[in-house]
Every structure is written in structure tokens, then in C-alpha cells.
Amino acid sequence: MRAGGPAGRNYRSRGAPRGAGAAMERRVAEQLRGALGPLGLEVHAFKVGWYNAVLQPAFHLPYPDDTLAFVVLSTPSMFDKALKPFVSKERLKIIRDPVDQCVSHHLSRVKEKFPDQRVDIMFDYEMLPSRKPKFLAQTAAHVAGAAYYYQRKDVKLDPWGKKKIFGVCIHPKYGGWFAIRGLLLFPAIQVPFLEQPAPVDCVSTEEKRIELLEQFNFHWQDGRYRDIIEVKERYSEEQKAYFATPPAERLRLLGLSQEAQRITFH
């Protein structure tokens, strides 16, 4: 069975066996994990329909419901495994935020592993002309089973009245010590029988959920919400210092040149 097909054709035709799409998903997932795992990046598969089903049409991804997609997360080890080597090698080519450029570089290289497939990439920082984000990162992580998206609706006795309360994703292994970086979409691969995994509800009590949303919304800068559960790995002190530094000053921490330090990020 071929690993790919013409970009304009769905891999699973109407007459294809039931397991064909799932087998293709497993094969693609293995290749992605093999390429991105050593860089401290996680991938989790989902169907576009799972994502679109929980959002208003204005936020829908413009693909058929059965289209295969992957959400990409950066774990704490990405800083040492991907960012620092990338900056060291590409130091004269850093023209925007180093993390964004590093992730863009590695996800673009992943496309080369699928020469017979169309692979669309969306990054967490990209915006539509309407100024809406290209995708809602936390929703994607939740429907893919990667991290549980805790929102106000998950609290039964709401203590916040008219205050605006933002939700936050918690990873079962890393707590809040991770980030959602992008999507990889495979328009030619349809997976109608892909089974949806439930995200791990690791903040399961009412009290803890209130504490989480309180810390995230009103004390996010101290980072305590990230440790709402016992985590297996968190950011190093060097990494914490990096992300706590204003973007325009971060290059200095990575040892980049004075010229590069003058770049202002948006």
C-alpha cells in the first residue's frame, strides 16, 4: 500500500476497507513522532469534524469533517532539544521570534517526509484578515485528547459573577508547562472511522478547577497555575527566565549578536 497519493484525491475511497484510513493515520503519526519527538514536540491526531463540531462557523477549519489533522505541542525539553541548537546554527538568520521561527523551521521540514501528500500548516501566532486566529489552539488540543481545556462551564458553582474568565489547557504529564504551537493538516487523507480519545481530566474536583482558573486569570504571571497537578517535567530555570523576559530582549539570553538584539518582535 502506498504511503501517499495525488494531493487532490482522498486516500480512502468509498470502496476502501474500513481500516484503511486508520492505518494511514497510524503510519503518518509514526513518521511525525519519529521526526518531532526527538525535538521535544508532541503530536496528537484528530478529525477536523471533531473541532468544527464544538465551534461557531466563523471559527471552522475549511476542510471536510473526516480530514486528518494533528495538533503540535512543545514540551519542556523543546528548549534544549530544538530551540538552542536551532539558534546556534541559524543565528544570522533569526529575523523574528526565535521560538516561532524554530517551530516553523521544523514543521516545514516535516512536509518533506510526505512528498506525495499535501500538508497544510497553521501556526498558533497566525491571524486571519479579520484578526481572528487561524485556529483556536486550546480547542484543538482538547478534541485531540492532548490536554484538557478547563473553562468556566466546567465549574458548577461559578464564583466570578460578571468577570470575564478565560479557560486554560492542562496536560496530564506537564500540567501548564507546555505550549500549543500549530496544526498539521492532511487534506488528501480522510479518516471517517478514527476514534476520538477523551482528554485526561486531571483537575477533577470543583475546588481545584476554581483554583486553576483563579490563578490563570488573576495571577498568571507567577506561573502557579502550571503546577495545579503534580507534573513529571517543567521548564528549567533558564527556560523560565527566557519566557519571563520581554520578547525584544530574549535574543541576548540566547547569546545572539547585538545587531539581532535590536529586532523588535510583534
Side-chain angles (χ1 to χ4, degrees):
M1 192 178 292
R2 290 184 61 200
R9 186 182 306 161
N10 290 342
Y11 179 82
R12 185 185 183 277
S13 67
R14 289 184 180 179
R18 181 184 179 96
M24 190 61 175
E25 180 273 326
R26 285 194 297 271
R27 208 167 313 170
V28 172
E30 286 173 5
Q31 286 184 271
L32 291 176
R33 289 176 184 130
L36 299 176
L39 301 169
L41 298 171
E42 275 188 6
V43 294
H44 297 263
F46 68 98
K47 288 200 307 185
V48 165
W50 301 345
Y51 174 92
N52 287 349
V54 297
L55 293 172
Q56 296 296 321
F59 294 100
H60 284 187
L61 295 173
Y63 300 86
D65 282 352
D66 290 333
T67 302
L68 177 63
F70 292 84
V71 63
V72 182
L73 314 181
S74 62
T75 72
S77 66
M78 187 273 284
F79 191 80
D80 287 319
K81 291 181 176 179
L83 179 63
K84 290 167 74 173
F86 172 77
V87 168
S88 177
K89 184 178 179 182
E90 307 287 340
R91 57 193 306 121
L92 299 180
K93 301 176 186 177
I94 301 293
I95 58 173
R96 52 190 169 90
D97 182 81
V99 173
D100 290 347
Q101 195 166 340
C102 172
V103 172
S104 174
H105 169 79
H106 287 298
L107 295 193
S108 297
R109 286 190 64 184
V110 159
K111 291 179 69 169
E112 300 169 9
K113 296 188 175 294
F114 304 95
D116 297 325
Q117 289 288 349
R118 173 182 156 195
V119 184
D120 293 345
I121 305 175
M122 294 183 185
F123 297 102
D124 67 298
Y125 52 82
E126 290 184 303
M127 306 293 281
L128 296 168
S130 64
R131 301 308 297 163
K132 288 185 174 73
K134 275 197 171 182
F135 74 100
L136 299 183
Q138 298 196 107
T139 299
H142 185 92
V143 300
Y148 200 108
Y149 184 23
Y150 291 98
Q151 302 176 72
R152 188 173 194 159
K153 66 183 182 182
D154 295 308
V155 174
K156 294 176 183 177
L157 299 176
D158 187 324
W160 298 294
K162 294 183 179 180
K163 292 179 181 176
K164 187 169 181 61
I165 299 296
F166 294 95
V168 60
C169 272
I170 295 296
H171 190 287
K173 183 177 179 181
Y174 305 116
W177 300 102
F178 78 104
I180 303 156
R181 299 297 180 184
L183 299 184
L184 296 168
L185 298 112
F186 292 78
I189 302 178
Q190 301 294 293
V191 285
F193 300 110
L194 190 65
E195 294 184 5
Q196 185 172 9
V200 178
D201 182 6
C202 47
V203 187
S204 56
T205 69
E206 177 92 350
E207 293 75 19
K208 277 291 184 182
R209 290 178 180 182
I210 291 173
E211 181 184 345
L212 170 64
L213 293 175
E214 284 273 345
Q215 289 180 356
F216 180 69
N217 280 271
F218 308 119
H219 309 284
W220 65 270
Q221 288 177 308
D222 64 23
R224 284 182 296 149
Y225 78 90
R226 299 178 187 270
D227 286 311
I228 194 69
I229 63 170
E230 186 174 338
V231 300
K232 292 184 170 63
E233 190 178 352
R234 58 173 57 85
Y235 291 174
S236 64
E237 291 305 314
E238 180 185 16
Q239 191 170 177
K240 289 178 188 176
Y242 176 83
F243 286 115
T245 300
E249 299 173 23
R250 290 175 181 173
L251 294 178
R252 175 179 51 80
L253 298 183
L254 295 173
L256 292 179
S257 67
Q258 291 295 321
E259 287 186 16
Q261 288 177 41
R262 297 193 190 103
I263 298 172
T264 300
F265 300 122
H266 300 282

